[in-house]
PDB file of all heavy atoms in Angstrom:
ATOM      1  N   PHE R  14      56.344 126.700 141.149  1.00 97.00           N
ATOM      2  CA  PHE R  14      55.331 126.475 140.116  1.00 97.00           C
ATOM      3  C   PHE R  14      53.982 127.075 140.518  1.00 97.00           C
ATOM      4  O   PHE R  14      53.321 127.749 139.722  1.00 97.00           O
ATOM      5  CB  PHE R  14      55.173 124.974 139.833  1.00 97.00           C
ATOM      6  CG  PHE R  14      54.090 124.683 138.838  1.00 97.00           C
ATOM      7  CD1 PHE R  14      54.316 124.835 137.482  1.00 97.00           C
ATOM      8  CD2 PHE R  14      52.840 124.273 139.265  1.00 97.00           C
ATOM      9  CE1 PHE R  14      53.303 124.588 136.559  1.00 97.00           C
ATOM     10  CE2 PHE R  14      51.825 124.024 138.358  1.00 97.00           C
ATOM     11  CZ  PHE R  14      52.055 124.178 136.996  1.00 97.00           C
ATOM     12  N   GLN R  17      54.073 131.032 140.449  1.00 96.00           N
ATOM     13  CA  GLN R  17      54.224 131.526 139.075  1.00 96.00           C
ATOM     14  C   GLN R  17      52.921 131.339 138.312  1.00 96.00           C
ATOM     15  O   GLN R  17      52.491 132.235 137.580  1.00 96.00           O
ATOM     16  CB  GLN R  17      55.365 130.790 138.359  1.00 96.00           C
ATOM     17  CG  GLN R  17      56.738 131.188 138.844  1.00 96.00           C
ATOM     18  CD  GLN R  17      57.835 130.283 138.301  1.00 96.00           C
ATOM     19  OE1 GLN R  17      57.600 129.398 137.492  1.00 96.00           O
ATOM     20  NE2 GLN R  17      59.056 130.500 138.778  1.00 96.00           N
ATOM     21  N   THR R  18      52.291 130.189 138.501  1.00 96.00           N
ATOM     22  CA  THR R  18      51.015 129.921 137.832  1.00 96.00           C
ATOM     23  C   THR R  18      49.914 130.819 138.374  1.00 96.00           C
ATOM     24  O   THR R  18      49.125 131.383 137.614  1.00 96.00           O
ATOM     25  CB  THR R  18      50.642 128.428 137.999  1.00 96.00           C
ATOM     26  OG1 THR R  18      51.712 127.628 137.495  1.00 96.00           O
ATOM     27  CG2 THR R  18      49.361 128.098 137.256  1.00 96.00           C
ATOM     28  N   PHE R  19      49.861 130.980 139.689  1.00 96.00           N
ATOM     29  CA  PHE R  19      48.851 131.855 140.308  1.00 96.00           C
ATOM     30  C   PHE R  19      48.988 133.269 139.747  1.00 96.00           C
ATOM     31  O   PHE R  19      47.997 133.898 139.388  1.00 96.00           O
ATOM     32  CB  PHE R  19      49.046 131.880 141.823  1.00 96.00           C
ATOM     33  CG  PHE R  19      47.907 132.499 142.585  1.00 96.00           C
ATOM     34  CD1 PHE R  19      47.035 131.706 143.317  1.00 96.00           C
ATOM     35  CD2 PHE R  19      47.700 133.872 142.595  1.00 96.00           C
ATOM     36  CE1 PHE R  19      45.985 132.283 144.034  1.00 96.00           C
ATOM     37  CE2 PHE R  19      46.656 134.445 143.307  1.00 96.00           C
ATOM     38  CZ  PHE R  19      45.792 133.651 144.025  1.00 96.00           C
ATOM     39  N   ALA R  21      50.262 134.246 136.933  1.00 95.00           N
ATOM     40  CA  ALA R  21      50.020 134.338 135.486  1.00 95.00           C
ATOM     41  C   ALA R  21      48.561 134.066 135.111  1.00 95.00           C
ATOM     42  O   ALA R  21      47.969 134.811 134.333  1.00 95.00           O
ATOM     43  CB  ALA R  21      50.928 133.352 134.750  1.00 95.00           C
ATOM     44  N   ASP R  22      47.972 132.985 135.651  1.00 95.00           N
ATOM     45  CA  ASP R  22      46.608 132.598 135.280  1.00 95.00           C
ATOM     46  C   ASP R  22      46.071 131.621 136.323  1.00 95.00           C
ATOM     47  O   ASP R  22      46.270 130.408 136.225  1.00 95.00           O
ATOM     48  CB  ASP R  22      46.591 131.953 133.891  1.00 95.00           C
ATOM     49  CG  ASP R  22      45.188 131.569 133.433  1.00 95.00           C
ATOM     50  OD1 ASP R  22      44.199 131.795 134.172  1.00 95.00           O
ATOM     51  OD2 ASP R  22      45.081 131.026 132.307  1.00 95.00           O
ATOM     52  N   ARG R  23      45.388 132.159 137.320  1.00 94.00           N
ATOM     53  CA  ARG R  23      44.883 131.350 138.444  1.00 94.00           C
ATOM     54  C   ARG R  23      44.021 130.179 137.999  1.00 94.00           C
ATOM     55  O   ARG R  23      43.989 129.139 138.659  1.00 94.00           O
ATOM     56  CB  ARG R  23      44.092 132.231 139.407  1.00 94.00           C
ATOM     57  CG  ARG R  23      44.907 133.295 140.066  1.00 94.00           C
ATOM     58  CD  ARG R  23      44.091 134.086 141.058  1.00 94.00           C
ATOM     59  NE  ARG R  23      43.060 134.903 140.440  1.00 94.00           N
ATOM     60  CZ  ARG R  23      43.135 136.228 140.270  1.00 94.00           C
ATOM     61  NH1 ARG R  23      44.218 136.876 140.661  1.00 94.00           N
ATOM     62  NH2 ARG R  23      42.163 136.894 139.743  1.00 94.00           N
ATOM     63  N   SER R  24      43.297 130.311 136.893  1.00 94.00           N
ATOM     64  CA  SER R  24      42.391 129.246 136.466  1.00 94.00           C
ATOM     65  C   SER R  24      43.128 127.960 136.136  1.00 94.00           C
ATOM     66  O   SER R  24      42.560 126.866 136.240  1.00 94.00           O
ATOM     67  CB  SER R  24      41.553 129.692 135.266  1.00 94.00           C
ATOM     68  OG  SER R  24      42.371 129.851 134.112  1.00 94.00           O
ATOM     69  N   THR R  25      44.392 128.045 135.759  1.00 96.00           N
ATOM     70  CA  THR R  25      45.142 126.838 135.393  1.00 96.00           C
ATOM     71  C   THR R  25      45.644 126.055 136.605  1.00 96.00           C
ATOM     72  O   THR R  25      46.239 124.990 136.441  1.00 96.00           O
ATOM     73  CB  THR R  25      46.316 127.182 134.452  1.00 96.00           C
ATOM     74  OG1 THR R  25      47.191 128.096 135.109  1.00 96.00           O
ATOM     75  CG2 THR R  25      45.819 127.803 133.157  1.00 96.00           C
ATOM     76  N   LEU R  26      45.394 126.547 137.800  1.00 97.00           N
ATOM     77  CA  LEU R  26      45.755 125.798 139.009  1.00 97.00           C
ATOM     78  C   LEU R  26      44.840 124.609 139.250  1.00 97.00           C
ATOM     79  O   LEU R  26      45.111 123.771 140.106  1.00 97.00           O
ATOM     80  CB  LEU R  26      45.732 126.714 140.239  1.00 97.00           C
ATOM     81  CG  LEU R  26      46.844 127.761 140.322  1.00 97.00           C
ATOM     82  CD1 LEU R  26      46.574 128.724 141.462  1.00 97.00           C
ATOM     83  CD2 LEU R  26      48.197 127.092 140.481  1.00 97.00           C
ATOM     84  N   GLN R  27      43.766 124.501 138.496  1.00 95.00           N
ATOM     85  CA  GLN R  27      42.794 123.422 138.698  1.00 95.00           C
ATOM     86  C   GLN R  27      43.456 122.053 138.644  1.00 95.00           C
ATOM     87  O   GLN R  27      43.062 121.139 139.371  1.00 95.00           O
ATOM     88  CB  GLN R  27      41.683 123.504 137.651  1.00 95.00           C
ATOM     89  CG  GLN R  27      40.593 122.491 137.871  1.00 95.00           C
ATOM     90  CD  GLN R  27      39.336 122.791 137.098  1.00 95.00           C
ATOM     91  OE1 GLN R  27      39.187 123.859 136.527  1.00 95.00           O
ATOM     92  NE2 GLN R  27      38.415 121.870 137.084  1.00 95.00           N
ATOM     93  N   ALA R  28      44.489 121.891 137.845  1.00 95.00           N
ATOM     94  CA  ALA R  28      45.167 120.599 137.722  1.00 95.00           C
ATOM     95  C   ALA R  28      45.832 120.165 139.032  1.00 95.00           C
ATOM     96  O   ALA R  28      46.119 118.987 139.215  1.00 95.00           O
ATOM     97  CB  ALA R  28      46.202 120.654 136.602  1.00 95.00           C
ATOM     98  N   LEU R  29      46.066 121.102 139.946  1.00 97.00           N
ATOM     99  CA  LEU R  29      46.733 120.779 141.211  1.00 97.00           C
ATOM    100  C   LEU R  29      45.779 120.312 142.307  1.00 97.00           C
ATOM    101  O   LEU R  29      46.220 119.870 143.358  1.00 97.00           O
ATOM    102  CB  LEU R  29      47.513 121.991 141.718  1.00 97.00           C
ATOM    103  CG  LEU R  29      48.674 122.449 140.863  1.00 97.00           C
ATOM    104  CD1 LEU R  29      49.318 123.693 141.467  1.00 97.00           C
ATOM    105  CD2 LEU R  29      49.690 121.343 140.691  1.00 97.00           C
ATOM    106  N   ILE R  50      38.798 126.668 142.505  1.00 97.00           N
ATOM    107  CA  ILE R  50      39.208 127.499 141.375  1.00 97.00           C
ATOM    108  C   ILE R  50      38.245 128.667 141.191  1.00 97.00           C
ATOM    109  O   ILE R  50      38.656 129.787 140.900  1.00 97.00           O
ATOM    110  CB  ILE R  50      39.340 126.660 140.083  1.00 97.00           C
ATOM    111  CG1 ILE R  50      40.453 125.629 140.260  1.00 97.00           C
ATOM    112  CG2 ILE R  50      39.600 127.545 138.874  1.00 97.00           C
ATOM    113  CD1 ILE R  50      41.802 126.181 140.710  1.00 97.00           C
ATOM    114  N   VAL R  54      39.674 132.469 141.037  1.00 95.00           N
ATOM    115  CA  VAL R  54      39.530 133.332 139.856  1.00 95.00           C
ATOM    116  C   VAL R  54      38.605 134.517 140.109  1.00 95.00           C
ATOM    117  O   VAL R  54      38.650 135.489 139.355  1.00 95.00           O
ATOM    118  CB  VAL R  54      39.094 132.565 138.600  1.00 95.00           C
ATOM    119  CG1 VAL R  54      40.114 131.509 138.210  1.00 95.00           C
ATOM    120  CG2 VAL R  54      37.718 131.975 138.741  1.00 95.00           C
TER     121      VAL R  54
END
Side-chain angles (χ1 to χ4, degrees):
F14 177 80
Q17 288 170 5
T18 304
F19 192 107
D22 182 0
R23 296 183 292 257
S24 68
T25 60
L26 290 171
Q27 185 164 350
L29 295 178
I50 296 307
V54 299

